[in-house]
Amino acid sequence: MSFSHIFTIVVPVFLVIALGYGAGRGTSFDGQRADALRVLTMEFALPASLFLGIANTPRHILLSQGPLVGMLALGLLGLFGLILLGLRLFGRLPLPQASILALASVQPQYAFMGVTILGNLFGGAKAAIPIAIAGILVNVILDPLVLILLNLGRPHAAEATAAASAPSRVLVSTGGGPAAAEEERDGGTGAAAARPVPTWVKVLRPLRKPFAWAPLLGLVIALAGVRPPEMIESSLSLVGQAASGVALLSVGVTLARVGMPQLSPGAIAIALTSVVVLPLSTYAIGLVLTGHEVAAETALILAFPVSPVPMMLASQHVKSEEHRIASSVIISIVLSFASLPLIINLTS
């Protein structure tokens, strides 16, 4: 694949993000409008797009995805564990701080940017499969695990204070696994509202969000060998067609609200790990374990910039790391303008 063709695919994505950034810097998107844009993306457009992409995939193709599942699990979960261990043993960081930095290093914006770029590379139906697999791994395993680690060992009084002072609802903007960063208090006031959330609730909570259960439902339908009714499919197609553009606009709006990035060694290290180390290391391992096709799919899913989800989690749980992670999001997007075409050319 020529570089001119690659840039034809990649550059429009960054132009739409830039358009969203300009809109966010102006008066077009204040807080409520930006939240509405995120809700449209994460609650409707992307779930509809991923559901149809998976549900209409032949069963024999899905049953052959074991190597891809293993490689994505290795990249997302395996590297997360290694970074977490390194930050704890060598960096001597507290568990919450190490957890949020490790998450930022491995969680890419596979959903928003991937729908457009991978769709143009492989076709929408084929691109939906690795995106959905990554979504299941992040929404059902990785993000809930981080939420548990963030709360592990916190004193009961601190939990009660955080629960009482937290806003009733926080919507996360972009990337893989945004559902896990939505914290909702129990109804009521006083002691009832300040009760710590049970661990099993934290684990199951992400499954309530359409971005988590829609791909799972599509997987069940595809494995059962049935197709959605034509009327349902046509309706969801109309909603899903908005996924790519609206999602990329939302990325730009979120960046506009971050402010000036901090060019610290930590932020640069997170960005480089996300857009260079993670995709290239999994690609090399995949070539040995699975072959070129699976290695390439895995690398491309993991090559996207840092997701803002860890930034939102940091704002709730580890305030000291919020600006560093927010800076890594911006730095990784700038770096990916060069790294993403290079990785696409390498893996193609």
Side-chain angles (χ1 to χ4, degrees):
M1 184 180 296
S2 66
F3 260 98
S4 61
H5 181 52
I6 292 173
F7 274 100
T8 301
I9 294 173
V10 172
V11 170
V13 170
F14 289 92
L15 290 179
V16 176
I17 293 175
L19 178 63
Y21 182 85
R25 295 288 292 177
T27 58
S28 299
F29 287 96
D30 56 15
Q32 290 184 342
R33 290 173 179 172
D35 286 343
L37 184 63
R38 291 191 288 268
V39 170
L40 171 62
T41 303
M42 301 311 305
E43 306 285 338
F44 296 96
L46 273 176
S49 176
L50 293 178
F51 169 79
L52 289 178
I54 294 296
N56 290 326
T57 302
R59 178 168 52 187
H60 71 276
I61 293 179
L62 290 175
L63 292 176
S64 66
Q65 298 304 311
L68 180 60
V69 173
M71 284 305 304
L72 283 173
L74 178 65
L76 291 167
L77 306 178
L79 189 58
F80 168 80
L82 287 176
I83 295 175
L84 176 62
L85 188 63
L87 291 174
R88 289 284 286 156
L89 294 180
F90 303 107
R92 304 292 183 182
L93 296 181
L95 182 59
Q97 189 177 357
S99 300
I100 203 68
L101 292 176
L103 180 67
S105 301
V106 303
Q107 184 165 335
Q109 296 184 30
Y110 58 85
F112 285 178
M113 297 179 71
V115 168
T116 300
I117 294 177
L118 299 183
N120 285 326
L121 288 174
F122 305 130
K126 187 172 182 181
I129 297 174
I131 292 173
I133 292 173
I136 292 169
L137 290 171
V138 168
N139 283 284
V140 180
I141 300 176
L142 183 58
D143 283 345
L145 173 62
V146 171
L147 280 173
I148 293 171
L149 294 175
L150 288 172
N151 288 281
L152 196 62
R154 289 174 59 186
H156 179 76
E159 282 193 6
T161 301
S165 61
S168 60
R169 201 171 188 218
V170 178
L171 288 175
V172 171
S173 55
T174 59
E182 180 183 298
E183 292 291 327
E184 295 181 66
R185 287 188 295 165
D186 294 332
T189 58
R195 285 198 304 265
V197 180
T199 299
W200 68 269
V201 173
K202 295 176 184 177
V203 173
L204 295 179
R205 176 178 286 156
L207 295 178
R208 299 181 307 170
K209 307 303 295 179
F211 192 81
W213 62 254
L216 286 174
L217 180 59
L219 180 63
V220 171
I221 291 175
L223 292 177
V226 299
R227 287 179 62 92
E230 185 175 351
M231 185 177 298
I232 299 296
E233 186 171 341
S234 298
S235 300
L236 292 178
S237 294
L238 292 175
V239 178
Q241 287 170 4
S244 298
V246 174
L248 294 172
L249 277 174
S250 183
V251 173
V253 170
T254 300
L255 295 180
R257 300 173 69 184
V258 167
M260 288 296 294
Q262 179 187 53
L263 298 178
S264 66
I268 295 173
I270 292 173
L272 285 173
T273 300
S274 176
V275 301
V276 178
V277 176
L278 180 60
L280 291 183
S281 61
T282 52
Y283 180 64
I285 295 172
L287 287 177
V288 175
L289 298 180
T290 62
H292 174 75
E293 183 176 355
V294 172
E297 285 184 309
T298 305
L300 290 176
I301 282 287
L302 301 179
F304 295 109
V306 177
S307 168
V309 172
M311 174 186 71
M312 298 298 180
L313 286 174
S315 70
Q316 293 176 270
H317 300 274
V318 193
K319 194 72 176 176
S320 61
E321 294 297 339
E322 180 183 12
H323 196 216
R324 172 156 42 183
I325 296 175
S327 300
S328 73
V329 174
I330 298 177
I331 295 169
S332 66
I333 287 181
V334 174
L335 290 176
S336 67
F337 187 78
S339 65
L340 195 54
L342 290 172
I343 292 174
I344 291 173
N345 185 66
L346 172 67
T347 58
S348 66

